[in-house]
Amino acid sequence: MSTWTTMLDAAGVHDPQLREDFTRQRSLVARYRRASYVAVRLLLPRPLVPHVIAAVAFMHHTDNLLDHGPVAERRDAYTAWEEAVRKALASGTADHPVIRPLLHACAHHPQLPCHVADFLSTAPTDLEFTGFTTESDYQRYLDDYSLPAFLLVACLLTPGEEPPGYRAACRTHIDGSQRLDFVNDLAEDLAEGRLSIPQETLLHHGVTRTDLERAQDTPEVRALLRHLLQQARTDLTDSHHVTTLLPPTNRPFARALITLETATADAALAKGPALLTASARPPVTTVLRILLREYGHARRFRHSPTEDL
């Protein structure tokens, strides 16, 4: 029997159609960020893995609706999607392959539905996104979009009532993670006409959008990228506090997630202005070392001595 099959069994996924839905979502999530997906499969308790995958798949499906196509079409698509999800939450049934696994996860995690509703309410923030004028604009974006999206998964790591200080620790993490993504994805975003660095930050460092679009390697550009990545790295380091608020079984995953992103920040710092032509990734050996170290910790909570990917 495959490990994925045992994970579906442990998560209470027995209906053949629902198992097919979960398996399809697993494949989609695995293609998005391979290292993070492997961390989910390798480090979280078996009953939790399919539910985390369902939450991530729902978040990415929603994000894709908001990001691709003309604004009017995206708005109409999101309105229909929000209506379908809210109707499913109210009725407990759905005929969409992304919503069905989400409903199953909601049935097993009573804290999840309110986070889904919160995310649906704030997600249109990304639809209207055209860039930031100030750092305060960026911070509002975190509160209105990034944090509600992150809590879809983060809430699953804390069974029962949310521990005091947990949301603040999650916000520290997502501040570092989102800033890192915005810098590391500069080449892709600029090619699509987006710029996620606040205008006041560019002005402070004497850098223009044209400098970034032309991938200029100047002292000013280097200083700007170093400043943003060091900010991101500091927040990621500070967010290690979140692991103390989690059950011991879920701490290896949280540590790995933070450490993988810190390693990505280090790779981006080393790449410098070359980020303006392609994003950075940590060395495979670094990723494997992080995952294997945390797997050693995770095994202490397993009945079985090994788990295959």
Side-chain angles (χ1 to χ4, degrees):
M1 183 179 294
S2 72
T3 300
W4 176 242
T5 298
T6 62
M7 287 177 175
L8 291 175
D9 291 341
V13 184
H14 304 300
D15 176 76
Q17 177 63 68
L18 191 57
R19 290 171 81 90
E20 183 179 333
D21 292 337
F22 269 99
T23 301
R24 185 183 299 110
Q25 300 317 311
R26 176 192 64 164
S27 298
L28 294 174
V29 170
R31 290 200 295 269
Y32 175 66
R33 283 191 178 179
R34 186 67 184 179
S36 297
Y37 165 75
V38 173
V40 170
R41 288 289 306 270
L42 194 65
L43 303 177
L44 285 175
R46 286 184 179 183
L48 190 55
V49 171
H51 298 152
V52 168
I53 287 175
V56 173
F58 164 71
M59 177 182 65
H60 288 315
H61 183 86
T62 306
D63 191 57
N64 286 336
L65 289 176
L66 294 167
D67 282 349
H68 298 101
V71 174
E73 291 181 9
R74 286 185 279 145
R75 185 178 290 108
D76 290 345
Y78 178 75
T79 298
W81 175 245
E82 180 181 12
E83 181 180 346
V85 176
R86 290 192 184 277
K87 181 178 179 180
L89 289 174
S91 67
T93 62
D95 59 4
H96 194 286
V98 173
I99 303 176
R100 283 193 296 258
L102 180 70
L103 289 181
H104 182 85
C106 286
H108 285 73
H109 301 275
Q111 71 274 32
L112 179 57
C114 69
H115 288 287
V116 173
D118 288 345
F119 175 64
L120 289 172
S121 296
T122 61
T125 298
D126 201 45
L127 179 65
E128 306 297 336
F129 176 75
T130 57
F132 307 117
T133 301
T134 67
E135 173 69 14
S136 295
D137 294 333
Y138 164 73
Q139 294 296 331
R140 279 192 294 274
Y141 179 89
L142 290 181
D143 288 325
D144 292 345
Y145 182 73
S146 303
L147 181 59
F150 180 68
L151 287 172
L152 290 171
V153 172
C155 78
L156 299 177
L157 304 181
T158 57
E161 190 172 337
E162 183 180 291
Y166 185 63
R167 188 172 299 244
C170 287
R171 194 191 187 284
T172 298
H173 172 78
I174 200 61
D175 193 348
S177 178
Q178 184 68 81
R179 199 184 301 271
L180 170 61
D181 281 351
F182 279 158
V183 178
N184 202 29
D185 293 342
L186 269 171
E188 179 182 345
D189 287 348
L190 286 168
E192 296 179 357
R194 297 192 304 269
L195 177 60
S196 304
I197 299 175
Q199 290 297 319
E200 72 173 7
T201 306
L202 293 177
L203 184 62
H204 177 76
H205 285 84
V207 175
T208 67
R209 179 175 185 141
T210 301
D211 292 334
L212 301 179
E213 290 173 337
R214 293 179 178 175
Q216 297 293 306
D217 184 351
T218 66
E220 292 80 9
V221 168
R222 287 180 172 272
L224 169 69
L225 297 177
R226 185 167 57 249
H227 167 73
L228 293 170
L229 290 168
Q230 287 175 342
Q231 271 189 301
R233 200 185 189 288
T234 296
D235 284 330
L236 290 170
T237 299
D238 290 346
S239 73
H240 274 281
H241 169 65
V242 77
T243 62
T244 67
L245 305 175
L246 296 175
T249 53
N250 295 340
R251 291 173 188 171
F253 169 73
R255 278 196 304 266
L257 189 66
I258 296 168
T259 308
L260 285 169
E261 291 192 319
T262 303
T264 302
D266 290 340
L269 279 164
K271 194 163 187 175
L275 285 174
L276 301 176
T277 57
S279 59
R281 295 182 180 179
V284 173
T285 53
T286 299
V287 172
L288 291 176
R289 185 169 61 249
I290 292 168
L291 293 173
L292 290 174
R293 181 178 64 238
E294 293 303 338
Y295 179 59
H297 295 304
R299 284 184 60 183
R300 300 174 188 174
F301 306 105
R302 306 277 173 83
H303 295 296
S304 172
T306 60
E307 278 197 31
D308 299 325
L309 289 178

